[in-house]
Amino acid sequence: MATPETPVTPATPTENHEIVLKNEIVHEHSNEMVPDDEMIHEHSHEMVPENEMIHEHSHEVVPENEMIHGHNHELVPVNEMIHEHNHEMVQEHEMTHEHHIVLGNEIVPGDEMVPDNEMIPLNEMVLAEQPNYIETPPNDLETQPSKRRKKKSIVWEHFTIENVGAGTRRACCKQCKQSFAYSTGSKVAGTSHLKRHIAKGACPVVLRNQQNNQSSPYNTPSKMSGYGGSNDAPKRRYRTASSPYLAFDPDRCRQEISRMIIMHDYPLHMVEHPGFLTFVQHLQPRFDMVSFNTVQGDCVATYLREKQAIQKVIGGVPGRICLTLDMWSSCYTVGYVFITGQYIDSEWKIHRKILNVIMEPYPDSDTAFSHAVAACLSDWSMEGKLFSVTINHPISDAAVDNLRALLSVKNPLVLNGQLVVGNCLARTLSSIAQDAFHFLHGTVKKVRDSIKYVKTSESHEEKFIELKQQLQVPSTKTLVLDDRTQWNTTYEMLLAASELKEVFSCLDTSDPDYKDAPSVEDWKQVEILCTYLKILFDTANLLTAPTIPTTNTFFHEAWKIQLELARAAASEDPSISSLTKTMQEKFDKYWKSCCLMLAISVVMDPRFKMKLVEFSFTKIYGEEAATYVKIVEEGIHELFLEYVALPLPLTPTYAEEANGGDIKQENAQDLGASSNGAGLTDFDAYIMETTSQQSRSELDQYLEESLLPRVHEFDVVGWWKLNRMKYPTLSKMARDILSVPVSTVTADSVFCTVGKEMDQYRCSLRPETVEALICAKDWLQNASVDTLHAPIKMEVPI
């Protein structure tokens, strides 16, 4: 392509920043191309070998590795050059040319920085107007060329230079006719902004061509003919962007806006806020901002796309799915049931995903939870795959009956529904802690006021610290005020104050303004309270782990709490028994409702099996322990028989095999009927009977084997994965039992003392939109890294 002709007005050498090929040098006057192995002297036009250079005035030959300064004829090594006027030393990679800074081999105006992604590689050389082997004084007009060389930059294939005034020139795009600054007097704007106009899609004409040709103008450089009719055309190298240039896509922008709103819980109305509209208009004027209704539809569309992928995963789960139900309140007296599914996939990795957020107009009714479960089973086609349901708070017997009646129709009951409904461990622990704080309300208030007195005054805190040092109290605890909505903060506040009780006891004598200090009896009650709260605190901490704990982890925690609270409630010390009696009664309800499930789960741990059940029940029930141990043994055998009788699940993994098996079985039956007329019905019954007998012994074989050593870290799910061939049926049962969740809340809500409430803004949205926003956020957050199970760290002192 022909390059544009520039005006013939003479210009100083600093006005032109043009690319010259490494192997071509242009003579100053004739503009002829000269091979790189020959150089022409300025006046005599004599050929000079490549490795020799001629001094400007004396015409002396200078070796290649030495250069002579323009005025004092001093020899300078090749890796150091001296500026023409101030004789400053410049390193090889930083060359200075009059008013320009040279980076690498590129001349850039001194007041213009070149971004990293627009640096010219070292194989390109940018020179001034005259050849770089002649030193020319800047004011010597006689040595200036009479003609300009043709510009070699690729941008001039897309731009022309126009004179718009005295000493002012602008570059005009040939495609869209936009005008850009190029030079004003001796100041040259360069070509970087021109290349960005072509390469980054700012030119609408080039953008359309890129979309049609799927190529950037920098990817297909034009060819140049060789010098002297040579067939070997010299190759020009062009720089390309370090990152790909993306064309403007309004649909992609809409999709990213919806993802942003979902991921960060932004209000949908933000797309109509004036500040956001102004920001988007300046960021991309060509983008037509969407309305509230449009972005609402985009968010729902994002939810539906993600839901299709989750449905495939749920449909391919080889085992059963466990649900948790968490009821949120609202200012409009309607409730929102958060339904979360937990399961172990075909790779034996445990997952947890929010499946539904269902609005319940009557959250206190006995049918609220059963209605939500029915909607979830229908929405995800999970009929027959449900294993257990865990609810965030105790419900009435009528609500439990409604739920079991629903599941008896929609889903095969497990142990006649004994394992279907369970309570949330996190909510139970929070409720017990609140009752304990309420029982010692006066004492807790005294401690809180004492800490407030110290922490809210700098002088008081200094006195407290000084007194602590005088008394040499060894505690390293720091006094902090508690958050009433997080019971663990109140526990930590009381624990720190208890260790510093000596300082508080002496503070009233040294500070007359400090009054109403806790008494000795108050500190005793605080110590008792912290002792039993620590058991709850340690168990709740297991629920805050970033990984999903398996069910067997909590049997040891639950029976330890049950045993300690029972002993405390029966204590002869009235201060201990009165405090822990209410705590024990509330936890006993949880223990009775979840004991069987927790016991069966720990039997699936090859480190404990039935031995830990027998040991713990003996501690708790004493002489009656054998009765409760027998209940667990009968329950686990009955559950195993149910798994033996279950048909092969028709997941995508087995569907093709099942279809093929049906055809072969029909052919076999036809063959049997034609040979003896009786078919193979009796044979099938015999196979089922003998298989059941063999499978029944699979559980007994597992229980009779010796226990595995108790290691600090043990992956119980991974163990069953390795032994699934040895215990094919038992491993399926273990996979479902170990995935039963004991908590309905997320890790950040384990210590909450207040129920969750839907904010007023989301309550104003349609229920379908609320569900889409909450579920899609959960799925997008876990799309790249799913929460997996980790080895369980547990030490049992037996």
Side-chain angles (χ1 to χ4, degrees):
M1 181 181 296
T3 56
E5 292 288 347
T6 56
V8 297
T9 305
T12 61
T14 61
E15 293 180 357
N16 300 296
H17 300 190
E18 298 165 4
I19 299 175
V20 181
L21 297 181
K22 184 177 181 180
N23 59 352
E24 295 180 357
I25 297 179
V26 184
H27 186 259
E28 181 179 7
H29 301 289
S30 64
N31 290 357
E32 296 177 354
M33 307 298 289
V34 183
D36 61 349
D37 58 345
E38 296 181 358
M39 300 182 66
I40 302 177
H41 185 260
E42 180 181 11
H43 303 288
S44 63
H45 296 185
E46 296 176 356
M47 294 292 187
V48 183
E50 179 185 7
N51 59 352
E52 296 182 356
M53 299 184 67
I54 300 177
H55 184 259
E56 180 180 4
H57 302 289
S58 62
H59 297 182
E60 296 176 359
V61 177
V62 183
E64 180 186 12
N65 58 352
E66 298 181 356
M67 298 185 69
I68 301 177
H69 185 263
H71 300 286
N72 56 14
H73 298 184
E74 295 177 356
L75 293 180
V76 183
V78 71
N79 58 350
E80 295 182 1
M81 296 188 67
I82 303 177
H83 188 266
E84 183 178 358
H85 302 288
N86 57 16
H87 294 188
E88 295 178 355
M89 301 300 293
V90 183
Q91 298 297 326
E92 178 183 11
H93 60 281
E94 295 183 358
M95 298 175 60
T96 306
H97 184 276
E98 292 192 6
H99 304 290
H100 299 77
I101 298 174
V102 182
L103 302 177
N105 292 334
E106 181 178 9
I107 295 180
V108 185
D111 58 348
E112 180 180 343
M113 299 299 295
V114 181
D116 292 338
N117 62 349
E118 294 189 10
M119 296 291 293
I120 298 181
L122 294 177
N123 58 358
E124 297 178 12
M125 184 178 294
V126 183
L127 302 177
E129 182 67 28
Q130 72 272 11
N132 64 349
Y133 55 85
I134 298 177
E135 293 287 339
T136 305
N139 298 325
D140 189 1
L141 299 179
E142 296 179 359
T143 61
Q144 293 182 359
S146 59
K147 289 186 179 180
R148 254 198 215 89
R149 293 187 291 106
K150 295 182 178 180
K151 296 183 178 297
K152 301 299 182 181
S153 176
I154 191 173
V155 300
W156 303 119
E157 297 180 5
H158 304 274
F159 288 89
T160 58
I161 296 179
E162 297 179 351
N163 292 321
V164 296
T168 301
R169 294 182 297 170
R170 296 184 66 84
C172 180
C173 178
K174 296 180 181 179
Q175 306 293 336
C176 63
K177 305 305 180 183
Q178 294 187 47
S179 179
F180 299 88
Y182 179 64
S183 67
T184 303
S186 61
K187 185 177 180 180
V188 181
T191 59
S192 298
H193 62 302
L194 306 181
K195 294 175 183 177
R196 285 195 294 269
H197 174 73
I198 299 298
K200 293 190 175 181
C203 180
V205 179
V206 174
L207 176 62
R208 287 195 295 269
N209 295 336
Q210 289 179 352
Q211 293 175 346
N212 295 334
N213 302 331
Q214 295 297 319
S215 63
S216 170
Y218 292 99
N219 295 334
T220 56
S222 59
K223 296 182 179 180
M224 295 179 61
S225 59
Y227 174 74
S230 174
N231 294 330
D232 297 328
K235 295 181 179 179
R236 295 184 63 185
R237 296 183 178 180
Y238 298 89
R239 58 180 174 177
T240 57
S242 58
S243 59
Y245 296 123
L246 300 179
F248 170 62
D249 187 351
D251 294 335
R252 179 64 181 271
C253 293
R254 285 178 50 182
Q255 181 180 350
E256 293 303 325
I257 287 177
S258 65
R259 289 172 62 92
M260 174 190 69
I261 290 175
I262 291 172
M263 291 293 292
H264 304 289
D265 296 327
Y266 294 144
L268 295 173
H269 287 86
M270 72 172 294
V271 297
E272 298 177 349
H273 293 171
F276 187 70
L277 291 174
T278 303
F279 167 73
V280 174
Q281 181 65 24
H282 284 83
L283 186 66
Q284 178 51 265
R286 297 165 56 197
F287 179 67
D288 295 330
M289 196 58 202
V290 295
S291 63
F292 166 80
N293 291 331
T294 302
V295 76
Q296 181 177 230
D298 292 343
C299 291
V300 174
T302 301
Y303 158 76
L304 294 176
R305 285 195 302 269
E306 298 295 327
K307 185 176 182 179
Q308 290 180 351
I310 303 297
Q311 282 178 326
K312 294 180 180 179
V313 174
I314 297 296
V317 173
R320 298 192 186 185
I321 299 173
C322 304
L323 299 181
T324 63
L325 307 182
D326 195 11
M327 178 74 78
W328 287 31
S329 60
S330 70
C331 59
Y332 296 114
T333 68
V334 298
Y336 291 85
V337 180
F338 282 62
I339 303 180
T340 304
Q342 188 162 303
Y343 57 89
I344 295 179
D345 62 11
S346 57
E347 298 295 328
W348 291 81
K349 296 177 182 179
I350 191 169
H351 301 270
R352 185 172 185 172
K353 298 182 183 298
I354 298 178
L355 301 181
N356 292 98
V357 178
I358 300 174
M359 188 191 73
E360 290 293 335
Y362 305 101
D364 297 327
S365 66
D366 294 334
T367 59
F369 286 111
S370 58
H371 172 263
V373 172
C376 177
L377 295 179
S378 176
D379 188 23
W380 294 92
S381 302
M382 288 196 305
E383 289 85 353
K385 300 192 67 174
L386 182 62
F387 186 75
S388 71
V389 177
T390 305
I391 303 178
N392 66 328
H393 60 80
I395 59 178
S396 63
D397 294 336
V400 174
D401 293 339
N402 289 334
L403 190 55
R404 287 176 176 167
L406 165 71
L407 297 178
S408 64
V409 178
K410 298 285 187 180
N411 194 79
L413 290 177
V414 179
L415 288 182
N416 296 321
Q418 296 181 68
L419 304 182
V420 168
V421 181
N423 293 328
C424 175
L425 178 60
R427 297 292 192 190
T428 301
L429 298 178
S430 296
S431 178
I432 294 174
Q434 283 181 276
D435 290 345
F437 295 144
H438 180 72
F439 183 82
L440 297 179
H441 173 71
T443 302
V444 174
K445 185 178 184 301
K446 284 184 180 181
V447 175
R448 183 182 292 114
D449 291 342
S450 296
I451 296 176
K452 187 182 299 184
Y453 176 83
V454 173
K455 297 295 292 183
T456 55
S457 172
E458 185 175 353
S459 60
H460 295 167
E461 188 170 9
E462 291 177 354
K463 290 181 180 179
F464 187 87
I465 295 175
E466 181 180 357
L467 186 59
K468 175 187 174 183
Q469 295 174 348
Q470 293 176 359
L471 297 174
Q472 297 182 352
V473 178
S475 175
T476 58
K477 298 288 186 180
T478 303
L479 295 179
V480 289
L481 287 172
D482 62 330
D483 179 1
R484 301 288 188 88
T485 64
Q486 301 284 329
W487 69 266
N488 61 314
T489 62
T490 305
Y491 161 71
E492 291 170 345
M493 178 190 73
L494 296 175
L495 185 63
S498 177
E499 294 187 7
L500 297 170
K501 61 182 179 180
E502 297 179 11
V503 185
F504 282 106
S505 300
C506 298
L507 185 62
D508 56 351
T509 57
S510 60
D511 189 350
D513 294 332
Y514 176 61
K515 301 176 181 179
D516 198 18
S519 63
V520 176
E521 183 64 24
D522 291 333
W523 288 119
K524 180 181 178 181
Q525 290 180 336
V526 170
E527 290 179 356
I528 295 173
L529 178 60
C530 290
T531 299
Y532 293 99
L533 282 179
K534 184 180 186 304
I535 307 174
L536 309 182
F537 177 77
D538 293 341
T539 302
N541 258 335
L542 295 176
L543 297 171
T544 63
T547 55
I548 302 176
T550 50
T551 317
N552 61 300
T553 310
F554 296 96
F555 177 80
H556 174 68
E557 302 296 326
W559 78 263
K560 183 173 60 175
I561 295 175
Q562 176 70 7
L563 177 63
E564 294 297 332
L565 292 180
R567 287 177 176 177
S571 175
E572 295 180 357
D573 189 341
S575 58
I576 296 177
S577 59
S578 58
L579 170 63
T580 57
K581 184 177 180 180
T582 304
M583 299 171 65
Q584 192 273 334
E585 291 176 352
K586 181 162 289 189
F587 190 81
D588 187 59
K589 294 180 180 179
Y590 173 82
W591 174 255
K592 290 180 179 178
S593 66
C594 300
C595 173
L596 182 59
M597 171 62 74
L598 295 175
I600 293 178
S601 68
V602 83
V603 172
M604 294 293 99
D605 190 331
R607 298 173 298 171
F608 304 110
K609 300 182 182 180
M610 285 297 300
K611 296 299 182 180
L612 183 56
V613 176
E614 296 168 358
F615 173 82
S616 58
F617 281 13
T618 302
K619 295 286 187 180
I620 297 174
Y621 300 110
E623 296 178 356
E624 300 179 356
T627 303
Y628 294 97
V629 170
K630 185 178 180 180
I631 294 176
V632 175
E633 289 181 341
E634 292 177 350
I636 195 170
H637 279 84
E638 183 179 349
L639 180 62
F640 178 71
L641 292 179
E642 292 183 10
Y643 271 83
V644 172
L646 286 177
L648 189 68
L650 292 181
T651 60
T653 307
Y654 304 107
E656 184 176 356
E657 299 178 5
N659 293 334
D662 291 342
I663 298 175
K664 295 179 180 179
Q665 185 176 359
E666 291 175 1
N667 295 336
Q669 290 179 354
D670 293 341
L671 178 61
S674 61
S675 60
N676 54 24
L680 297 176
T681 306
D682 295 339
F683 176 73
D684 293 337
Y686 170 75
I687 292 295
M688 291 297 296
E689 181 180 357
T690 55
T691 303
S692 299
Q693 293 176 356
Q694 294 173 357
S695 299
R696 189 178 299 116
S697 63
E698 186 181 311
L699 174 60
D700 298 331
Q701 177 185 353
Y702 166 77
L703 295 176
E704 291 171 1
E705 290 182 350
S706 59
L707 301 179
L708 292 182
R710 292 194 308 275
V711 294
H712 186 62
E713 295 184 1
F714 181 71
D715 184 1
V716 62
V717 177
W719 187 89
W720 281 106
K721 177 184 179 181
L722 296 176
N723 291 271
R724 65 187 184 277
M725 302 302 295
K726 183 179 181 180
Y727 305 111
T729 303
L730 194 60
S731 63
K732 295 177 183 178
M733 186 176 78
R735 177 174 53 199
D736 293 340
I737 293 175
L738 294 173
S739 64
V740 175
V742 298
S743 174
T744 65
V745 299
T746 55
D748 59 342
S749 303
V750 169
F751 294 101
C752 284
T753 57
V754 294
K756 290 290 187 178
E757 182 177 355
M758 190 70 71
D759 60 83
Q760 186 174 3
Y761 175 76
R762 285 190 171 178
C763 289
S764 65
L765 302 176
R766 296 183 304 175
E768 296 82 2
T769 304
V770 175
E771 181 179 53
L773 294 174
I774 295 175
C775 292
K777 178 183 178 181
D778 179 72
W779 301 340
L780 292 174
Q781 284 179 336
N782 299 324
S784 57
V785 180
D786 279 318
T787 304
L788 307 179
H789 70 280
I792 302 303
K793 298 180 180 180
M794 182 171 64
E795 294 180 349
V796 182
I798 298 179

